[in-house]
């Protein structure tokens, strides 16, 4: 059974909102704090409260420091050492947190035109950001390591003052982090922070989620109160049933540069790896180009094998797939006598009634060749023998 966590950044996303959403789903704040206790950073604690935004109630979280942060600027190497040396952090959580910080470091390095080793984190190097990022990795562990998906985040607009001075929203690092993934340019103010962007980019798949059964819903409430939307991160936790995973899928690709020989080979290969059916159909693509649609019907467990064949052996740069439903007749075989020998006939039944019947063509060809008669004559005799 696959576990799914689907994040909807309704009012954007920040590190504290991720933790708050996890707590609202039932994760214990004490368990998070315990896992983070091995981080060698100044004193801090998690302050958890209830909050409401636009009539939606959820969990709000603050990382409260005992004293003013003495070293707000940290190099990537310093943060990596902190995380790697933390004895209470699970190894998988360490790897995820390090990946998030590296993504932020690479984005900042590109924006500023320097190497990652020269980057010193400002806001995201402070204690609260370290707790947010490492805490997010811990939340996924405490939720049972679900497969994480997210809706495209709103980025906001306007300007904001940061350590480097006045910056446009989204700040350059946020936009760099979210290159090549779906986003929404909407809203007023900073809706998605660099930390939130990095969590989405590294820990989630942004786009449409798989079909799944929702079991719990949590809301992480942000600090700001926007006029046009509730400042919440909604998190839905659930499962994908085995039956849904193993359903029937159509896998297909458009090919405008494949030879007839290659198309015939591909149909054979798709059937060899387990496709229930495979086909080629003529289509017209952009600029009026004639092309072919190559498709296959496949059980869910074999979908990746079919995708692999299409990507490895066709000329396509990508494939698409979608789940389908079908209603199939019950099937059986009966043997009938003809003047030239026995022929198998496939029957389609519903509620015990025969609705369709077809002689096996290979049997008919074999008998027709041996007797020197037309194939259609053998097929007609087989059907006649089947009819009561």
């Amino acid at each position: 059974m696959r576990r799914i966590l689907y994040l909807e950044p309704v009012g954007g996303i920040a590190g504290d909102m991720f933790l708050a959403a996890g707590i609202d789903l039932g994760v214990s704040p004490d368990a998070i704090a315990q896992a983070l206790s091995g981080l060698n950073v100044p004193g801090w604690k998690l302050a958890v409260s209830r909050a409401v935004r636009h009539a939606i109630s959820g969990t709000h979280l603050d990382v409260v420091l005992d004293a003013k942060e003495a070293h707000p600027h940290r190099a990537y190497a310093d943060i990596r050492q902190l995380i790697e040396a933390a004895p209470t952090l699970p190894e998988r959580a360490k790897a995820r947190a390090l990946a998030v910080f590296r993504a932020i470091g690479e984005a900042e390095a590109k924006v500023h035109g320097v190497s990652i080793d020269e980057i010193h984190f400002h806001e995201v190097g402070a204690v609260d950001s370290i707790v947010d990022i490492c805490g997010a990795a811990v939340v996924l562990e405490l939720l049972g390591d679900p497969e994480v998906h997210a809706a495209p985040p709103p980025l906001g607009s306007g300007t904001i003052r940061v350590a480097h001075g006045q910056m446009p929203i989204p700040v350059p690092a946020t936009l760099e982090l979210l290159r090549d993934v779906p986003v929404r340019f909407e809203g007023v103010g900073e809706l998605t922070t660099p930390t939130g962007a990095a969590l989405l980019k590294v820990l989630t798949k942004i786009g449409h989620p798989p079909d799944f059964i929702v079991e719990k819903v949590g809301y992480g409430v942000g600090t700001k109160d926007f006029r046009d939307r509730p400042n919440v991160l909604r998190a839905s936790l659930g499962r994908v049933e085995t039956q849904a995973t193993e359903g029937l899928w159509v896998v297909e690709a458009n090919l405008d540069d494949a030879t007839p020989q290659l198309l015939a080979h591909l149909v054979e290969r798709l059937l060899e790896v387990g496709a229930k059916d495979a086909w080629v159909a003529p289509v017209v693509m952009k600029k009026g180009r004639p092309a072919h649609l190559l498709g296959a019907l496949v059980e869910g467990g074999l979908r990746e094998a079919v995708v692999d064949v299409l990507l490895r052996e066709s000329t396509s740069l990508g494939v698409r797939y979608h789940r389908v439903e079908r209603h199939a007749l019950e099937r059986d075989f009966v043997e009938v006598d003809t003047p030239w020998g026995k022929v198998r006939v496939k029957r389609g039944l519903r509620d015990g009634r025969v609705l369709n019947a077809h002689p096996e063509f290979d049997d008919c060809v074999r008998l027709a060749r041996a007797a020197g008669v037309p194939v259609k004559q053998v097929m007609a005799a087989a059907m006649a023998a089947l009819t009561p």
Side-chain angles (χ1 to χ4, degrees):
M1 185 187 302
R2 288 164 55 205
R3 305 291 297 170
I4 300 292
L5 176 64
Y6 181 50
L7 303 177
E8 296 171 89
V10 180
I13 180 172
D16 58 344
M17 294 170 72
F18 191 108
L19 264 67
I23 293 170
D24 212 47
L25 284 172
V27 173
S28 165
D30 291 339
I32 298 174
Q34 173 59 35
L36 301 180
S37 62
L39 288 169
N40 185 23
V41 293
W44 55 269
K45 65 179 179 179
L46 301 179
V48 179
S49 60
R50 300 296 295 173
V52 177
R53 298 288 183 268
H54 288 229
I56 297 177
S57 174
T59 296
H60 179 71
L61 179 137
D62 281 312
V63 179
V64 180
L65 304 182
D66 292 345
K68 185 177 179 181
E69 161 80 289
H71 303 287
H73 300 179
R74 289 184 171 87
Y76 171 70
D78 298 330
I79 293 176
R80 183 177 59 199
Q81 185 177 5
L82 278 176
I83 294 172
E84 289 177 343
T88 55
L89 271 181
E91 289 303 314
R92 189 162 49 193
K94 287 183 182 180
R96 283 174 169 155
L98 287 170
V100 172
F101 272 110
R102 182 165 188 86
I104 297 173
E106 289 174 346
E108 293 278 8
K110 184 166 185 180
V111 168
H112 299 301
V114 299
S115 73
I116 190 172
D117 294 328
E118 298 176 76
I119 286 294
H120 281 71
F121 295 97
H122 298 281
E123 285 83 359
V124 293
V127 169
D128 53 349
S129 293
I130 294 173
V131 170
D132 284 344
I133 291 172
C134 294
V138 169
V139 164
L140 293 183
E141 291 295 304
L142 297 175
L143 288 176
D145 188 30
E147 182 180 309
V148 190
H149 296 256
L155 301 185
S157 62
T159 60
I160 187 172
R161 177 166 293 280
V162 297
H164 296 290
Q166 203 74 11
M167 287 281 182
I169 296 173
V171 297
T174 294
L175 202 54
E176 180 63 30
L177 280 160
L178 294 175
R179 276 195 309 116
D180 302 322
V181 299
V183 297
R184 292 181 288 144
F185 284 91
E186 63 180 44
V188 178
E190 187 180 37
L191 274 63
T192 298
T193 68
T195 298
L199 292 175
L200 289 180
K201 185 65 175 285
V202 175
L203 303 181
T204 80
K205 180 178 180 181
I206 302 176
H208 294 292
D211 294 339
F212 71 106
I213 298 171
V214 176
E215 297 173 330
K216 295 181 179 179
V217 179
Y219 291 89
V221 180
T223 301
K224 297 177 182 177
D225 195 356
F226 302 122
R227 287 187 177 184
D228 64 332
R229 68 193 66 213
N231 187 16
V232 299
L233 172 67
R234 180 160 62 187
S236 300
L237 184 66
R239 69 184 190 278
V240 174
E241 296 285 7
T242 303
Q243 183 178 3
T245 306
E246 296 178 353
L248 281 175
W249 295 78
V250 168
V251 182
E252 56 189 16
N254 289 4
L255 305 173
D256 62 359
D257 56 355
T259 65
Q261 296 91 335
L262 179 59
L263 290 169
H265 167 73
L266 286 167
V267 170
E268 291 179 2
R269 286 288 293 122
L270 293 173
L271 294 173
E272 285 174 3
V273 297
K276 302 180 80 65
D277 197 4
W279 57 88
V280 176
V283 295
V284 177
M285 293 175 60
K286 61 184 178 182
K287 300 181 181 179
R289 295 173 181 170
H292 295 90
L293 171 66
L294 177 64
L297 181 68
V298 60
E299 294 279 0
L302 295 173
R303 188 188 71 191
E304 290 308 311
V306 167
V307 168
D308 185 64
V309 167
L310 277 174
L311 292 176
R312 285 166 53 89
E313 301 195 31
S314 81
T315 56
S316 179
L317 296 177
V319 301
R320 58 187 176 272
Y321 46 79
H322 57 273
R323 196 164 53 198
V324 296
E325 296 180 357
R326 72 167 182 171
H327 188 95
L329 295 177
E330 301 170 33
R331 302 174 195 186
D332 70 4
F333 285 90
V334 295
E335 238 179 18
V336 298
D337 292 314
T338 73
W340 306 279
K342 294 184 178 297
V343 172
R344 292 173 298 159
V345 178
K346 181 189 292 184
R347 304 189 306 175
L349 303 95
R350 186 174 188 183
D351 299 328
R353 295 178 57 202
V354 178
L355 301 184
N356 288 303
H358 302 280
E360 284 293 289
F361 189 70
D362 290 344
D363 290 357
C364 295
V365 169
R366 176 175 49 80
L367 295 181
R369 286 178 175 173
V373 297
V375 174
K376 63 182 180 181
Q377 194 171 338
V378 180
M379 294 177 69
M383 289 301 294
L386 179 70
T387 304

